[in-house]
Amino acid sequence: MAILDHPERTPSKPARASAAGENRPGVMNISEPHARSAADCVAALYARPEGLDSAEAGRRLAEFGPNRLPEPSPRGPMRRFFAQFHNVLIYVLLGAAFVTGILQHWVDTGVILAVVVANAMIGFLQEGKAEAAMAAIRDMLAPHAAVLRDGTRTTVEGAALVPGDIVLLEAGDKVPADIRLIEARGLAAQEAILSGESVPVDKSEAPVAADAALGDRRSMLWSGTLVTQGSARGLVVATGRATEIGRIGGMLADVERLTTPLVDQMDRFARWLSFLILLVAGLLLVYGYFVGHHAFGEIFMAVVGVAVAAIPEGLPAVMTITLAIGVQAMAKRNAIVRRLPAIEAIGSVSVVCTDKTGTLTRNEMVVVAAWTPEGEFVVDGEGYAPEGRISPQGDLSRLARAAMQCNDAGLSLKGGQWHVEGDPMEGALIAFARKVAGGVAETVRRLDAVPFDSRHRFMAVLTEGAAGRNVLVKGAPERVVRMCREADVHGWHLRAEALAR
């Protein structure tokens, strides 16, 4: 990346789902839209460039359903509470409480039941918090979308989108459904949730090969991804469960449920403990009655007392409290643990498998170095927080001005965390500029702009402020250096290569 600072637009009945595998809610009769022209896709969905009319949109919504991701069957409070008792050791404790109750040992019965109920309450409350957090982040679709209805632009709920709608998108918008592009101007999208790649993908309306991989389908925008730059007009080709992210959600619903190591060990321990307690109690009963010649009622009461005493009533409570403490520690690090036993399973992980880029990350970018004619500068700091030290001392004001003003992204503080709206790289440039300027942004007015395009590989803006009018440019180093009248082209190429290593 190089930065230059230089002063101075009546559907018929919709097609039905085909027999070729498209028979899913939220999808109409269209296959491989990425490989077909935009006009063919519009015709296949009986849509129009000026959008559906309200009546047709309502009919399609009733037929194909709302544009929402599938949700798992909710567990009610009672079901979640009684699930806390589904443990072999808890069954043993309840059995012990039943026996002591029959024997009218009410103190022992009360203590055992109190331990069991306290254990269940801790797990119930902790999992309730996790369920609420999961519900808050489950909605991956955009809450609103700008569409063409009855020939005019209007904003609708994301759930009201239907196949055949014409959607208008701009930088910073979340894509509300799977969309076939009709028009694209300097468009790029962040598809990390699908591909794991942190770099935005350039998009265009041109068809691609039918067998192109998901990440190479440049003529498509996918539900849940983010438009980082440019503007677009597109045709909704799939909604809800029929989208790519909906398909992934359906696959996750079919994943086999596995027990955690701790739960498995506790189940085996409880079975062996129950067997040993019953075995020892039986041997004591036989010995006391046939060898010791004690009265049966007397020896039976003694054996029951020994058996109840051998049961570790506090073990489930101690285990639950320990797991709850671990869950709270993870929550402070912004990690949601839905089931208490899962916290122990995390500690059993010895190998983590990722893709080639290792993008099990926060999908953030940060400026770590800057190179100017005055020399190289090292930039400290983490994420998008505009806080960090730059060394050595030097004048980077012009570089910071270009980084801040030749930029379409936004940086904001939400819930104590800095977030970027737009391209992650541009967000990193804003954070860098604020580090240089001490967090103070210069007030300027943008008069004109040349959006970044992969063909010319630069962005330029004309601004007006207290220092007058300025033309600011950023782009690929080899492109920006050629714009300079006095520059050591070969030397700058070597510097760029050295920074890229």
Side-chain angles (χ1 to χ4, degrees), residues 43-58:
L45 293 184
Y46 292 86
R48 297 182 302 183
E50 61 271 23
L52 302 174
D53 59 52
S54 299
E56 176 63 14

Side-chain angles (χ1 to χ4, degrees), residues 325-347:
I325 293 173
V327 169
Q328 292 292 341
M330 293 296 289
K332 293 178 181 178
R333 297 173 179 263
N334 300 319
I336 299 174
V337 180
R338 192 175 183 184
R339 299 283 186 268
L340 282 180
I343 194 67
E344 182 271 341
I346 296 175

Side-chain angles (χ1 to χ4, degrees), residues 14-215:
R16 300 292 176 176
S18 70
E22 295 288 350
N23 189 20
R24 295 176 291 168
V27 70
M28 296 175 68
N29 185 20
I30 183 169
S31 61
E32 300 177 343
H34 58 278
R36 304 172 63 171
S37 69
D40 285 346
C41 293
V42 171
L45 293 184
Y46 292 86
R48 297 182 302 183
E50 61 271 23
L52 302 174
D53 59 52
S54 299
E56 176 63 14
R59 197 199 64 76
R60 295 192 184 194
L61 182 62
E63 179 175 356
F64 297 104
N67 178 35
R68 294 195 185 98
L69 294 180
E71 296 184 4
S73 300
R75 295 197 310 166
M78 294 300 296
R79 181 181 174 187
R80 194 170 73 248
F81 177 74
F82 285 112
Q84 309 301 320
F85 297 91
H86 185 53
N87 183 286
V88 175
L89 193 56
I90 297 297
Y91 295 155
V92 174
L93 291 176
L94 291 175
F98 177 75
V99 173
T100 55
I102 291 178
L103 298 176
Q104 298 184 353
H105 293 184
W106 305 119
V107 175
D108 293 338
T109 302
V111 170
I112 295 173
L113 290 179
V115 169
V116 171
V117 172
N119 174 78
M121 287 301 300
I122 294 173
F124 172 77
L125 294 175
Q126 188 60 53
E127 291 187 5
K129 294 179 181 179
E131 292 280 357
M134 291 294 292
I137 66 175
R138 187 174 291 124
D139 187 6
M140 292 293 292
L141 300 182
H144 298 90
V147 301
L148 294 178
R149 292 274 175 91
D150 301 312
T152 60
R153 174 170 178 158
T154 185
T155 299
V156 300
E157 295 288 334
L161 285 179
V162 295
D165 263 326
I166 303 298
V167 178
L168 307 176
L169 294 162
E170 299 174 349
D173 289 345
K174 181 175 285 188
V175 181
D178 283 0
I179 292 173
R180 172 60 169 92
L181 290 171
I182 298 176
E183 297 177 3
R185 297 184 177 90
L187 186 67
Q190 175 59 262
E191 298 181 348
I193 64 170
L194 291 177
S195 65
E197 301 290 347
S198 61
V199 178
V201 180
D202 293 330
K203 298 289 184 176
S204 71
E205 62 270 22
V208 298
D211 59 351
L214 185 70

Side-chain angles (χ1 to χ4, degrees), residues 399-423:
L399 185 65
R401 184 188 304 116
M404 175 70 75
Q405 298 174 15
C406 190
N407 201 308
D408 288 327
L411 205 60
S412 60
L413 183 62
K414 299 177 182 178
Q417 297 287 332
W418 286 93
H419 300 271
V420 64
E421 299 292 341
D423 190 297

Side-chain angles (χ1 to χ4, degrees), residues 327-394:
V327 169
Q328 292 292 341
M330 293 296 289
K332 293 178 181 178
R333 297 173 179 263
N334 300 319
I336 299 174
V337 180
R338 192 175 183 184
R339 299 283 186 268
L340 282 180
I343 194 67
E344 182 271 341
I346 296 175
S348 302
V349 173
S350 57
V351 177
V352 176
C353 299
T354 73
D355 64 357
K356 64 182 184 301
T357 56
T359 47
L360 286 181
T361 65
R362 299 179 65 179
N363 194 29
E364 292 181 346
M365 300 182 73
V366 61
V367 175
V368 297
W371 209 330
T372 73
E374 286 74 32
E376 183 178 4
F377 298 83
V378 178
V379 185
D380 294 333
E382 295 182 1
Y384 297 119
E387 303 166 355
R389 187 171 58 90
I390 300 176
S391 59
Q393 294 291 331

